[in-house]
PDB file of all heavy atoms in Angstrom:
ATOM      1  N   VAL A   1     -74.086  91.663 -58.515  1.00 96.00           N
ATOM      2  CA  VAL A   1     -73.625  92.619 -59.458  1.00 96.00           C
ATOM      3  C   VAL A   1     -74.864  93.289 -60.162  1.00 96.00           C
ATOM      4  O   VAL A   1     -74.591  94.162 -60.904  1.00 96.00           O
ATOM      5  CB  VAL A   1     -72.745  91.813 -60.619  1.00 96.00           C
ATOM      6  CG1 VAL A   1     -71.711  91.134 -59.965  1.00 96.00           C
ATOM      7  CG2 VAL A   1     -73.658  91.012 -61.523  1.00 96.00           C
ATOM      8  N   LYS A   2     -76.066  92.943 -59.922  1.00 93.00           N
ATOM      9  CA  LYS A   2     -77.132  93.441 -60.419  1.00 93.00           C
ATOM     10  C   LYS A   2     -77.228  94.993 -60.593  1.00 93.00           C
ATOM     11  O   LYS A   2     -77.676  95.421 -61.642  1.00 93.00           O
ATOM     12  CB  LYS A   2     -78.526  92.875 -59.863  1.00 93.00           C
ATOM     13  CG  LYS A   2     -79.789  93.368 -60.428  1.00 93.00           C
ATOM     14  CD  LYS A   2     -80.963  92.709 -59.694  1.00 93.00           C
ATOM     15  CE  LYS A   2     -82.304  93.231 -60.247  1.00 93.00           C
ATOM     16  NZ  LYS A   2     -83.407  92.718 -59.537  1.00 93.00           N
ATOM     17  N   ASP A   3     -76.845  95.730 -59.615  1.00 94.00           N
ATOM     18  CA  ASP A   3     -77.014  97.118 -59.775  1.00 94.00           C
ATOM     19  C   ASP A   3     -75.795  97.808 -60.111  1.00 94.00           C
ATOM     20  O   ASP A   3     -75.585  99.101 -60.090  1.00 94.00           O
ATOM     21  CB  ASP A   3     -77.401  97.621 -58.258  1.00 94.00           C
ATOM     22  CG  ASP A   3     -78.781  97.163 -57.875  1.00 94.00           C
ATOM     23  OD1 ASP A   3     -79.621  96.968 -58.654  1.00 94.00           O
ATOM     24  OD2 ASP A   3     -78.960  96.881 -56.640  1.00 94.00           O
ATOM     25  N   ARG A   4     -74.706  97.030 -60.450  1.00 98.00           N
ATOM     26  CA  ARG A   4     -73.394  97.584 -60.733  1.00 98.00           C
ATOM     27  C   ARG A   4     -72.980  97.272 -62.102  1.00 98.00           C
ATOM     28  O   ARG A   4     -72.127  98.012 -62.855  1.00 98.00           O
ATOM     29  CB  ARG A   4     -72.387  97.095 -59.794  1.00 98.00           C
ATOM     30  CG  ARG A   4     -72.718  97.498 -58.324  1.00 98.00           C
ATOM     31  CD  ARG A   4     -71.599  97.044 -57.342  1.00 98.00           C
ATOM     32  NE  ARG A   4     -71.420  95.592 -57.383  1.00 98.00           N
ATOM     33  CZ  ARG A   4     -70.409  94.886 -57.561  1.00 98.00           C
ATOM     34  NH1 ARG A   4     -69.217  95.502 -58.017  1.00 98.00           N
ATOM     35  NH2 ARG A   4     -70.472  93.615 -57.480  1.00 98.00           N
ATOM     36  N   PHE A   5     -73.328  96.161 -62.637  1.00 98.00           N
ATOM     37  CA  PHE A   5     -72.815  95.594 -63.987  1.00 98.00           C
ATOM     38  C   PHE A   5     -74.016  95.647 -65.031  1.00 98.00           C
ATOM     39  O   PHE A   5     -75.167  95.505 -64.658  1.00 98.00           O
ATOM     40  CB  PHE A   5     -72.359  94.251 -64.062  1.00 98.00           C
ATOM     41  CG  PHE A   5     -71.150  93.934 -63.129  1.00 98.00           C
ATOM     42  CD1 PHE A   5     -70.521  94.967 -62.360  1.00 98.00           C
ATOM     43  CD2 PHE A   5     -70.496  92.708 -63.095  1.00 98.00           C
ATOM     44  CE1 PHE A   5     -69.477  94.752 -61.571  1.00 98.00           C
ATOM     45  CE2 PHE A   5     -69.372  92.482 -62.278  1.00 98.00           C
ATOM     46  CZ  PHE A   5     -68.882  93.506 -61.461  1.00 98.00           C
ATOM     47  N   THR A   6     -73.596  95.793 -66.319  1.00 98.00           N
ATOM     48  CA  THR A   6     -74.557  95.963 -67.365  1.00 98.00           C
ATOM     49  C   THR A   6     -73.982  95.166 -68.591  1.00 98.00           C
ATOM     50  O   THR A   6     -72.917  95.407 -69.006  1.00 98.00           O
ATOM     51  CB  THR A   6     -74.818  97.327 -67.810  1.00 98.00           C
ATOM     52  OG1 THR A   6     -75.278  98.167 -66.789  1.00 98.00           O
ATOM     53  CG2 THR A   6     -75.916  97.361 -68.940  1.00 98.00           C
ATOM     54  N   ILE A   7     -74.754  94.175 -69.020  1.00 98.00           N
ATOM     55  CA  ILE A   7     -74.439  93.371 -70.122  1.00 98.00           C
ATOM     56  C   ILE A   7     -75.107  93.922 -71.376  1.00 98.00           C
ATOM     57  O   ILE A   7     -76.195  94.351 -71.364  1.00 98.00           O
ATOM     58  CB  ILE A   7     -74.843  91.910 -69.961  1.00 98.00           C
ATOM     59  CG1 ILE A   7     -74.216  90.915 -70.980  1.00 98.00           C
ATOM     60  CG2 ILE A   7     -76.258  91.680 -69.907  1.00 98.00           C
ATOM     61  CD1 ILE A   7     -74.291  89.490 -70.699  1.00 98.00           C
ATOM     62  N   SER A   8     -74.390  93.833 -72.636  1.00 97.00           N
ATOM     63  CA  SER A   8     -74.911  94.241 -73.804  1.00 97.00           C
ATOM     64  C   SER A   8     -74.400  93.285 -74.846  1.00 97.00           C
ATOM     65  O   SER A   8     -73.437  92.608 -74.783  1.00 97.00           O
ATOM     66  CB  SER A   8     -74.473  95.625 -74.108  1.00 97.00           C
ATOM     67  OG  SER A   8     -73.133  95.850 -74.180  1.00 97.00           O
ATOM     68  N   ARG A   9     -75.175  93.195 -76.083  1.00 96.00           N
ATOM     69  CA  ARG A   9     -74.764  92.397 -77.075  1.00 96.00           C
ATOM     70  C   ARG A   9     -74.911  93.283 -78.338  1.00 96.00           C
ATOM     71  O   ARG A   9     -75.739  94.048 -78.544  1.00 96.00           O
ATOM     72  CB  ARG A   9     -75.614  91.220 -77.226  1.00 96.00           C
ATOM     73  CG  ARG A   9     -75.492  90.171 -76.239  1.00 96.00           C
ATOM     74  CD  ARG A   9     -76.504  89.063 -76.281  1.00 96.00           C
ATOM     75  NE  ARG A   9     -76.417  88.359 -77.564  1.00 96.00           N
ATOM     76  CZ  ARG A   9     -77.094  87.120 -77.907  1.00 96.00           C
ATOM     77  NH1 ARG A   9     -77.778  86.565 -76.957  1.00 96.00           N
ATOM     78  NH2 ARG A   9     -76.876  86.557 -79.086  1.00 96.00           N
ATOM     79  N   ASP A  10     -74.047  92.737 -79.319  1.00 94.00           N
ATOM     80  CA  ASP A  10     -74.262  93.185 -80.677  1.00 94.00           C
ATOM     81  C   ASP A  10     -74.229  91.873 -81.525  1.00 94.00           C
ATOM     82  O   ASP A  10     -73.274  91.226 -81.866  1.00 94.00           O
ATOM     83  CB  ASP A  10     -72.977  93.931 -81.174  1.00 94.00           C
ATOM     84  CG  ASP A  10     -73.195  94.586 -82.585  1.00 94.00           C
ATOM     85  OD1 ASP A  10     -73.915  94.005 -83.545  1.00 94.00           O
ATOM     86  OD2 ASP A  10     -72.651  95.707 -82.869  1.00 94.00           O
ATOM     87  N   ASN A  11     -75.548  91.438 -81.828  1.00 90.00           N
ATOM     88  CA  ASN A  11     -75.661  90.239 -82.447  1.00 90.00           C
ATOM     89  C   ASN A  11     -75.138  90.213 -83.981  1.00 90.00           C
ATOM     90  O   ASN A  11     -74.648  89.052 -84.296  1.00 90.00           O
ATOM     91  CB  ASN A  11     -77.264  90.043 -82.712  1.00 90.00           C
ATOM     92  CG  ASN A  11     -77.906  89.772 -81.212  1.00 90.00           C
ATOM     93  OD1 ASN A  11     -77.194  89.194 -80.443  1.00 90.00           O
ATOM     94  ND2 ASN A  11     -79.084  90.095 -81.136  1.00 90.00           N
ATOM     95  N   ALA A  12     -75.140  91.289 -84.613  1.00 89.00           N
ATOM     96  CA  ALA A  12     -74.478  91.316 -85.945  1.00 89.00           C
ATOM     97  C   ALA A  12     -72.973  91.104 -85.889  1.00 89.00           C
ATOM     98  O   ALA A  12     -72.390  90.406 -86.763  1.00 89.00           O
ATOM     99  CB  ALA A  12     -74.826  92.618 -86.682  1.00 89.00           C
ATOM    100  N   LYS A  13     -72.374  91.538 -84.971  1.00 92.00           N
ATOM    101  CA  LYS A  13     -70.948  91.463 -84.826  1.00 92.00           C
ATOM    102  C   LYS A  13     -70.559  90.203 -83.955  1.00 92.00           C
ATOM    103  O   LYS A  13     -69.316  89.729 -83.905  1.00 92.00           O
ATOM    104  CB  LYS A  13     -70.281  92.608 -84.158  1.00 92.00           C
ATOM    105  CG  LYS A  13     -70.426  93.902 -84.990  1.00 92.00           C
ATOM    106  CD  LYS A  13     -69.706  95.091 -84.338  1.00 92.00           C
ATOM    107  CE  LYS A  13     -69.845  96.281 -85.253  1.00 92.00           C
ATOM    108  NZ  LYS A  13     -69.213  97.502 -84.488  1.00 92.00           N
ATOM    109  N   GLY A  14     -71.490  89.609 -83.309  1.00 92.00           N
ATOM    110  CA  GLY A  14     -71.159  88.407 -82.476  1.00 92.00           C
ATOM    111  C   GLY A  14     -70.366  88.671 -81.253  1.00 92.00           C
ATOM    112  O   GLY A  14     -69.498  87.962 -80.819  1.00 92.00           O
ATOM    113  N   THR A  15     -70.683  89.822 -80.600  1.00 96.00           N
ATOM    114  CA  THR A  15     -69.977  90.267 -79.479  1.00 96.00           C
ATOM    115  C   THR A  15     -70.895  90.501 -78.283  1.00 96.00           C
ATOM    116  O   THR A  15     -72.117  90.756 -78.467  1.00 96.00           O
ATOM    117  CB  THR A  15     -69.269  91.605 -79.693  1.00 96.00           C
ATOM    118  OG1 THR A  15     -70.233  92.686 -80.072  1.00 96.00           O
ATOM    119  CG2 THR A  15     -68.301  91.536 -80.853  1.00 96.00           C
ATOM    120  N   VAL A  16     -70.319  90.219 -77.036  1.00 97.00           N
ATOM    121  CA  VAL A  16     -71.040  90.542 -75.862  1.00 97.00           C
ATOM    122  C   VAL A  16     -70.058  91.379 -74.967  1.00 97.00           C
ATOM    123  O   VAL A  16     -68.857  91.031 -74.940  1.00 97.00           O
ATOM    124  CB  VAL A  16     -71.526  89.366 -75.199  1.00 97.00           C
ATOM    125  CG1 VAL A  16     -70.255  88.440 -74.892  1.00 97.00           C
ATOM    126  CG2 VAL A  16     -72.275  89.642 -73.998  1.00 97.00           C
ATOM    127  N   SER A  17     -70.601  92.331 -74.261  1.00 98.00           N
ATOM    128  CA  SER A  17     -69.764  93.231 -73.408  1.00 98.00           C
ATOM    129  C   SER A  17     -70.293  93.321 -71.966  1.00 98.00           C
ATOM    130  O   SER A  17     -71.494  93.032 -71.818  1.00 98.00           O
ATOM    131  CB  SER A  17     -69.529  94.606 -73.891  1.00 98.00           C
ATOM    132  OG  SER A  17     -68.923  94.643 -75.228  1.00 98.00           O
ATOM    133  N   LEU A  18     -69.506  93.447 -71.088  1.00 98.00           N
ATOM    134  CA  LEU A  18     -69.958  93.665 -69.615  1.00 98.00           C
ATOM    135  C   LEU A  18     -69.330  94.912 -69.057  1.00 98.00           C
ATOM    136  O   LEU A  18     -68.158  94.953 -68.881  1.00 98.00           O
ATOM    137  CB  LEU A  18     -69.516  92.441 -68.839  1.00 98.00           C
ATOM    138  CG  LEU A  18     -70.018  92.384 -67.429  1.00 98.00           C
ATOM    139  CD1 LEU A  18     -71.427  92.261 -67.284  1.00 98.00           C
ATOM    140  CD2 LEU A  18     -69.266  91.274 -66.659  1.00 98.00           C
ATOM    141  N   GLN A  19     -70.163  95.948 -68.895  1.00 98.00           N
ATOM    142  CA  GLN A  19     -69.805  97.087 -68.269  1.00 98.00           C
ATOM    143  C   GLN A  19     -69.776  97.004 -66.774  1.00 98.00           C
ATOM    144  O   GLN A  19     -70.928  96.638 -66.199  1.00 98.00           O
ATOM    145  CB  GLN A  19     -70.530  98.284 -68.655  1.00 98.00           C
ATOM    146  CG  GLN A  19     -70.309  99.669 -68.150  1.00 98.00           C
ATOM    147  CD  GLN A  19     -68.874 100.112 -68.518  1.00 98.00           C
ATOM    148  OE1 GLN A  19     -68.515 100.095 -69.636  1.00 98.00           O
ATOM    149  NE2 GLN A  19     -68.069 100.617 -67.596  1.00 98.00           N
ATOM    150  N   MET A  20     -68.712  97.062 -66.101  1.00 98.00           N
ATOM    151  CA  MET A  20     -68.577  96.884 -64.676  1.00 98.00           C
ATOM    152  C   MET A  20     -68.283  98.110 -63.910  1.00 98.00           C
ATOM    153  O   MET A  20     -67.184  98.703 -64.169  1.00 98.00           O
ATOM    154  CB  MET A  20     -67.513  95.739 -64.394  1.00 98.00           C
ATOM    155  CG  MET A  20     -67.655  94.366 -65.069  1.00 98.00           C
ATOM    156  SD  MET A  20     -66.498  93.155 -64.657  1.00 98.00           S
ATOM    157  CE  MET A  20     -65.000  93.849 -65.144  1.00 98.00           C
ATOM    158  N   ASN A  21     -69.232  98.494 -63.135  1.00 98.00           N
ATOM    159  CA  ASN A  21     -68.987  99.801 -62.432  1.00 98.00           C
ATOM    160  C   ASN A  21     -69.054  99.476 -60.928  1.00 98.00           C
ATOM    161  O   ASN A  21     -69.425  98.494 -60.552  1.00 98.00           O
ATOM    162  CB  ASN A  21     -70.100 100.740 -62.764  1.00 98.00           C
ATOM    163  CG  ASN A  21     -70.217 101.193 -64.226  1.00 98.00           C
ATOM    164  OD1 ASN A  21     -69.106 101.360 -64.826  1.00 98.00           O
ATOM    165  ND2 ASN A  21     -71.357 101.469 -64.691  1.00 98.00           N
ATOM    166  N   SER A  22     -68.462 100.459 -60.202  1.00 98.00           N
ATOM    167  CA  SER A  22     -68.382 100.363 -58.731  1.00 98.00           C
ATOM    168  C   SER A  22     -67.834  99.064 -58.230  1.00 98.00           C
ATOM    169  O   SER A  22     -68.339  98.300 -57.424  1.00 98.00           O
ATOM    170  CB  SER A  22     -69.846 100.461 -58.146  1.00 98.00           C
ATOM    171  OG  SER A  22     -70.425 101.701 -58.404  1.00 98.00           O
ATOM    172  N   LEU A  23     -66.719  98.732 -58.852  1.00 98.00           N
ATOM    173  CA  LEU A  23     -66.044  97.392 -58.578  1.00 98.00           C
ATOM    174  C   LEU A  23     -65.604  97.293 -57.177  1.00 98.00           C
ATOM    175  O   LEU A  23     -65.160  98.300 -56.554  1.00 98.00           O
ATOM    176  CB  LEU A  23     -64.865  97.250 -59.588  1.00 98.00           C
ATOM    177  CG  LEU A  23     -65.318  96.848 -61.052  1.00 98.00           C
ATOM    178  CD1 LEU A  23     -64.107  97.077 -61.989  1.00 98.00           C
ATOM    179  CD2 LEU A  23     -65.785  95.402 -61.097  1.00 98.00           C
ATOM    180  N   LYS A  24     -65.669  96.102 -56.695  1.00 97.00           N
ATOM    181  CA  LYS A  24     -65.234  95.796 -55.330  1.00 97.00           C
ATOM    182  C   LYS A  24     -64.168  94.834 -55.332  1.00 97.00           C
ATOM    183  O   LYS A  24     -64.043  94.015 -56.258  1.00 97.00           O
ATOM    184  CB  LYS A  24     -66.478  95.221 -54.537  1.00 97.00           C
ATOM    185  CG  LYS A  24     -67.737  96.077 -54.554  1.00 97.00           C
ATOM    186  CD  LYS A  24     -68.775  95.389 -53.968  1.00 97.00           C
ATOM    187  CE  LYS A  24     -70.110  96.284 -53.846  1.00 97.00           C
ATOM    188  NZ  LYS A  24     -71.174  95.615 -53.168  1.00 97.00           N
ATOM    189  N   PRO A  25     -63.433  94.722 -54.285  1.00 97.00           N
ATOM    190  CA  PRO A  25     -62.332  93.696 -54.304  1.00 97.00           C
ATOM    191  C   PRO A  25     -62.851  92.293 -54.451  1.00 97.00           C
ATOM    192  O   PRO A  25     -62.059  91.454 -55.001  1.00 97.00           O
ATOM    193  CB  PRO A  25     -61.764  93.785 -52.810  1.00 97.00           C
ATOM    194  CG  PRO A  25     -61.949  95.289 -52.542  1.00 97.00           C
ATOM    195  CD  PRO A  25     -63.248  95.632 -53.119  1.00 97.00           C
ATOM    196  N   GLU A  26     -64.050  91.973 -53.989  1.00 95.00           N
ATOM    197  CA  GLU A  26     -64.587  90.637 -54.111  1.00 95.00           C
ATOM    198  C   GLU A  26     -64.944  90.270 -55.582  1.00 95.00           C
ATOM    199  O   GLU A  26     -65.391  89.154 -55.892  1.00 95.00           O
ATOM    200  CB  GLU A  26     -65.731  90.467 -53.266  1.00 95.00           C
ATOM    201  CG  GLU A  26     -66.835  91.536 -53.285  1.00 95.00           C
ATOM    202  CD  GLU A  26     -66.591  92.545 -52.245  1.00 95.00           C
ATOM    203  OE1 GLU A  26     -65.501  93.062 -51.957  1.00 95.00           O
ATOM    204  OE2 GLU A  26     -67.578  92.986 -51.589  1.00 95.00           O
ATOM    205  N   ASP A  27     -64.921  91.341 -56.507  1.00 97.00           N
ATOM    206  CA  ASP A  27     -64.983  91.092 -57.875  1.00 97.00           C
ATOM    207  C   ASP A  27     -63.922  90.425 -58.497  1.00 97.00           C
ATOM    208  O   ASP A  27     -63.807  90.174 -59.689  1.00 97.00           O
ATOM    209  CB  ASP A  27     -65.535  92.231 -58.662  1.00 97.00           C
ATOM    210  CG  ASP A  27     -66.908  92.857 -58.188  1.00 97.00           C
ATOM    211  OD1 ASP A  27     -67.798  91.963 -57.996  1.00 97.00           O
ATOM    212  OD2 ASP A  27     -67.011  94.068 -58.020  1.00 97.00           O
ATOM    213  N   THR A  28     -62.744  90.524 -57.807  1.00 97.00           N
ATOM    214  CA  THR A  28     -61.497  89.982 -58.335  1.00 97.00           C
ATOM    215  C   THR A  28     -61.555  88.517 -58.653  1.00 97.00           C
ATOM    216  O   THR A  28     -61.789  87.657 -57.777  1.00 97.00           O
ATOM    217  CB  THR A  28     -60.353  90.290 -57.400  1.00 97.00           C
ATOM    218  OG1 THR A  28     -60.166  91.730 -57.320  1.00 97.00           O
ATOM    219  CG2 THR A  28     -58.985  89.701 -57.984  1.00 97.00           C
ATOM    220  N   THR A  29     -61.185  88.218 -59.898  1.00 97.00           N
ATOM    221  CA  THR A  29     -61.121  86.889 -60.349  1.00 97.00           C
ATOM    222  C   THR A  29     -60.978  86.807 -61.889  1.00 97.00           C
ATOM    223  O   THR A  29     -61.030  87.837 -62.560  1.00 97.00           O
ATOM    224  CB  THR A  29     -62.343  86.073 -59.931  1.00 97.00           C
ATOM    225  OG1 THR A  29     -62.117  84.482 -60.173  1.00 97.00           O
ATOM    226  CG2 THR A  29     -63.608  86.389 -60.635  1.00 97.00           C
ATOM    227  N   THR A  30     -61.061  85.586 -62.500  1.00 97.00           N
ATOM    228  CA  THR A  30     -60.978  85.467 -63.911  1.00 97.00           C
ATOM    229  C   THR A  30     -62.497  85.358 -64.402  1.00 97.00           C
ATOM    230  O   THR A  30     -63.266  84.698 -64.024  1.00 97.00           O
ATOM    231  CB  THR A  30     -60.317  84.276 -64.346  1.00 97.00           C
ATOM    232  OG1 THR A  30     -58.908  84.378 -63.830  1.00 97.00           O
ATOM    233  CG2 THR A  30     -60.152  84.088 -65.769  1.00 97.00           C
ATOM    234  N   TYR A  31     -62.717  86.178 -65.440  1.00 98.00           N
ATOM    235  CA  TYR A  31     -63.916  86.234 -65.972  1.00 98.00           C
ATOM    236  C   TYR A  31     -64.020  85.501 -67.455  1.00 98.00           C
ATOM    237  O   TYR A  31     -63.094  85.747 -68.190  1.00 98.00           O
ATOM    238  CB  TYR A  31     -64.493  87.575 -66.227  1.00 98.00           C
ATOM    239  CG  TYR A  31     -64.866  88.349 -65.008  1.00 98.00           C
ATOM    240  CD1 TYR A  31     -63.799  88.694 -63.987  1.00 98.00           C
ATOM    241  CD2 TYR A  31     -66.191  88.664 -64.723  1.00 98.00           C
ATOM    242  CE1 TYR A  31     -64.134  89.216 -62.758  1.00 98.00           C
ATOM    243  CE2 TYR A  31     -66.481  89.191 -63.461  1.00 98.00           C
ATOM    244  CZ  TYR A  31     -65.582  89.461 -62.486  1.00 98.00           C
ATOM    245  OH  TYR A  31     -65.838  90.105 -61.313  1.00 98.00           O
ATOM    246  N   TYR A  32     -65.063  84.683 -67.691  1.00 98.00           N
ATOM    247  CA  TYR A  32     -65.067  83.980 -68.870  1.00 98.00           C
ATOM    248  C   TYR A  32     -66.289  84.294 -69.703  1.00 98.00           C
ATOM    249  O   TYR A  32     -67.389  84.296 -69.254  1.00 98.00           O
ATOM    250  CB  TYR A  32     -65.189  82.436 -68.470  1.00 98.00           C
ATOM    251  CG  TYR A  32     -63.900  81.882 -67.803  1.00 98.00           C
ATOM    252  CD1 TYR A  32     -63.908  82.005 -66.347  1.00 98.00           C
ATOM    253  CD2 TYR A  32     -62.938  81.318 -68.443  1.00 98.00           C
ATOM    254  CE1 TYR A  32     -62.827  81.514 -65.714  1.00 98.00           C
ATOM    255  CE2 TYR A  32     -61.741  80.870 -67.683  1.00 98.00           C
ATOM    256  CZ  TYR A  32     -61.638  81.013 -66.376  1.00 98.00           C
ATOM    257  OH  TYR A  32     -60.621  80.494 -65.674  1.00 98.00           O
ATOM    258  N   CYS A  33     -66.063  84.366 -70.957  1.00 98.00           N
ATOM    259  CA  CYS A  33     -67.190  84.580 -71.888  1.00 98.00           C
ATOM    260  C   CYS A  33     -67.801  83.223 -72.189  1.00 98.00           C
ATOM    261  O   CYS A  33     -67.173  82.202 -72.130  1.00 98.00           O
ATOM    262  CB  CYS A  33     -66.619  85.135 -73.224  1.00 98.00           C
ATOM    263  SG  CYS A  33     -67.844  85.431 -74.513  1.00 98.00           S
ATOM    264  N   TYR A  34     -69.099  83.322 -72.308  1.00 97.00           N
ATOM    265  CA  TYR A  34     -69.966  82.098 -72.486  1.00 97.00           C
ATOM    266  C   TYR A  34     -70.958  82.251 -73.692  1.00 97.00           C
ATOM    267  O   TYR A  34     -71.547  83.364 -73.828  1.00 97.00           O
ATOM    268  CB  TYR A  34     -70.810  81.762 -71.252  1.00 97.00           C
ATOM    269  CG  TYR A  34     -71.928  80.792 -71.477  1.00 97.00           C
ATOM    270  CD1 TYR A  34     -71.682  79.436 -71.457  1.00 97.00           C
ATOM    271  CD2 TYR A  34     -73.129  81.233 -71.675  1.00 97.00           C
ATOM    272  CE1 TYR A  34     -72.652  78.564 -71.616  1.00 97.00           C
ATOM    273  CE2 TYR A  34     -74.166  80.429 -71.821  1.00 97.00           C
ATOM    274  CZ  TYR A  34     -73.972  78.977 -71.780  1.00 97.00           C
ATOM    275  OH  TYR A  34     -74.886  78.110 -71.928  1.00 97.00           O
ATOM    276  N   VAL A  35     -71.098  81.274 -74.454  1.00 97.00           N
ATOM    277  CA  VAL A  35     -71.950  81.357 -75.653  1.00 97.00           C
ATOM    278  C   VAL A  35     -72.677  79.993 -75.742  1.00 97.00           C
ATOM    279  O   VAL A  35     -72.073  78.955 -75.638  1.00 97.00           O
ATOM    280  CB  VAL A  35     -71.250  81.573 -76.956  1.00 97.00           C
ATOM    281  CG1 VAL A  35     -72.067  81.364 -78.107  1.00 97.00           C
ATOM    282  CG2 VAL A  35     -70.680  82.977 -77.030  1.00 97.00           C
ATOM    283  N   GLU A  36     -73.908  80.075 -75.950  1.00 96.00           N
ATOM    284  CA  GLU A  36     -74.738  78.827 -76.217  1.00 96.00           C
ATOM    285  C   GLU A  36     -75.432  79.095 -77.608  1.00 96.00           C
ATOM    286  O   GLU A  36     -76.057  80.090 -77.791  1.00 96.00           O
ATOM    287  CB  GLU A  36     -75.954  78.669 -75.251  1.00 96.00           C
ATOM    288  CG  GLU A  36     -76.834  77.543 -75.491  1.00 96.00           C
ATOM    289  CD  GLU A  36     -78.180  77.561 -74.646  1.00 96.00           C
ATOM    290  OE1 GLU A  36     -78.152  78.238 -73.599  1.00 96.00           O
ATOM    291  OE2 GLU A  36     -79.083  76.875 -75.015  1.00 96.00           O
ATOM    292  N   GLY A  37     -75.122  78.154 -78.418  1.00 94.00           N
ATOM    293  CA  GLY A  37     -75.709  78.341 -79.838  1.00 94.00           C
ATOM    294  C   GLY A  37     -75.353  77.167 -80.685  1.00 94.00           C
ATOM    295  O   GLY A  37     -74.866  76.097 -80.229  1.00 94.00           O
ATOM    296  N   TYR A  38     -75.751  77.262 -81.962  1.00 92.00           N
ATOM    297  CA  TYR A  38     -75.611  76.217 -82.914  1.00 92.00           C
ATOM    298  C   TYR A  38     -74.594  76.594 -83.918  1.00 92.00           C
ATOM    299  O   TYR A  38     -74.439  77.750 -84.469  1.00 92.00           O
ATOM    300  CB  TYR A  38     -76.893  76.085 -83.729  1.00 92.00           C
ATOM    301  CG  TYR A  38     -78.143  75.470 -83.025  1.00 92.00           C
ATOM    302  CD1 TYR A  38     -78.863  76.271 -82.157  1.00 92.00           C
ATOM    303  CD2 TYR A  38     -78.330  74.077 -83.028  1.00 92.00           C
ATOM    304  CE1 TYR A  38     -79.934  75.751 -81.470  1.00 92.00           C
ATOM    305  CE2 TYR A  38     -79.430  73.545 -82.316  1.00 92.00           C
ATOM    306  CZ  TYR A  38     -80.315  74.439 -81.515  1.00 92.00           C
ATOM    307  OH  TYR A  38     -81.217  73.778 -80.930  1.00 92.00           O
ATOM    308  N   VAL A  39     -73.665  75.654 -84.125  1.00 90.00           N
ATOM    309  CA  VAL A  39     -72.818  75.830 -85.339  1.00 90.00           C
ATOM    310  C   VAL A  39     -73.388  75.067 -86.572  1.00 90.00           C
ATOM    311  O   VAL A  39     -74.494  74.378 -86.438  1.00 90.00           O
ATOM    312  CB  VAL A  39     -71.413  75.100 -85.054  1.00 90.00           C
ATOM    313  CG1 VAL A  39     -70.728  75.787 -83.870  1.00 90.00           C
ATOM    314  CG2 VAL A  39     -71.625  73.585 -84.704  1.00 90.00           C
ATOM    315  N   TYR A  40     -72.943  75.452 -87.695  1.00 88.00           N
ATOM    316  CA  TYR A  40     -73.447  74.868 -88.947  1.00 88.00           C
ATOM    317  C   TYR A  40     -73.501  73.331 -88.951  1.00 88.00           C
ATOM    318  O   TYR A  40     -72.571  72.735 -88.419  1.00 88.00           O
ATOM    319  CB  TYR A  40     -72.762  75.408 -90.114  1.00 88.00           C
ATOM    320  CG  TYR A  40     -73.119  76.764 -90.514  1.00 88.00           C
ATOM    321  CD1 TYR A  40     -72.206  77.834 -90.161  1.00 88.00           C
ATOM    322  CD2 TYR A  40     -74.323  77.275 -91.155  1.00 88.00           C
ATOM    323  CE1 TYR A  40     -72.511  79.136 -90.574  1.00 88.00           C
ATOM    324  CE2 TYR A  40     -74.578  78.451 -91.416  1.00 88.00           C
ATOM    325  CZ  TYR A  40     -73.651  79.415 -91.140  1.00 88.00           C
ATOM    326  OH  TYR A  40     -74.029  80.775 -91.469  1.00 88.00           O
ATOM    327  N   ASP A  41     -74.554  72.838 -89.326  1.00 84.00           N
ATOM    328  CA  ASP A  41     -74.782  71.337 -89.394  1.00 84.00           C
ATOM    329  C   ASP A  41     -74.986  70.704 -87.991  1.00 84.00           C
ATOM    330  O   ASP A  41     -74.744  69.404 -87.966  1.00 84.00           O
ATOM    331  CB  ASP A  41     -73.574  70.683 -90.162  1.00 84.00           C
ATOM    332  CG  ASP A  41     -73.493  71.131 -91.596  1.00 84.00           C
ATOM    333  OD1 ASP A  41     -74.587  71.421 -92.160  1.00 84.00           O
ATOM    334  OD2 ASP A  41     -72.331  71.300 -92.054  1.00 84.00           O
TER     335      ASP A  41
END
């Protein structure tokens, strides 16, 4: 996906987006958001 998708973040809003262009049938599946971080305490 390197040449087709672009990831972006808005740290203030706690959001992440994935712009997917030139999609192919093999891209068909379920996509999951992932976060690695610390919660309070």
Side-chain angles (χ1 to χ4, degrees):
V1 308
K2 183 179 180 180
D3 298 324
R4 300 183 294 121
F5 294 5
T6 302
I7 190 169
S8 60
R9 288 177 60 167
D10 187 330
N11 292 327
K13 296 181 179 180
T15 61
V16 60
S17 297
L18 185 69
Q19 179 65 45
M20 305 186 294
N21 298 324
S22 301
L23 283 162
K24 304 175 181 179
E26 49 263 46
D27 296 318
T28 297
T29 191
T30 300
Y31 287 71
Y32 298 87
C33 182
Y34 165 82
V35 168
E36 177 194 339
Y38 290 84
V39 296
Y40 286 105
D41 299 323

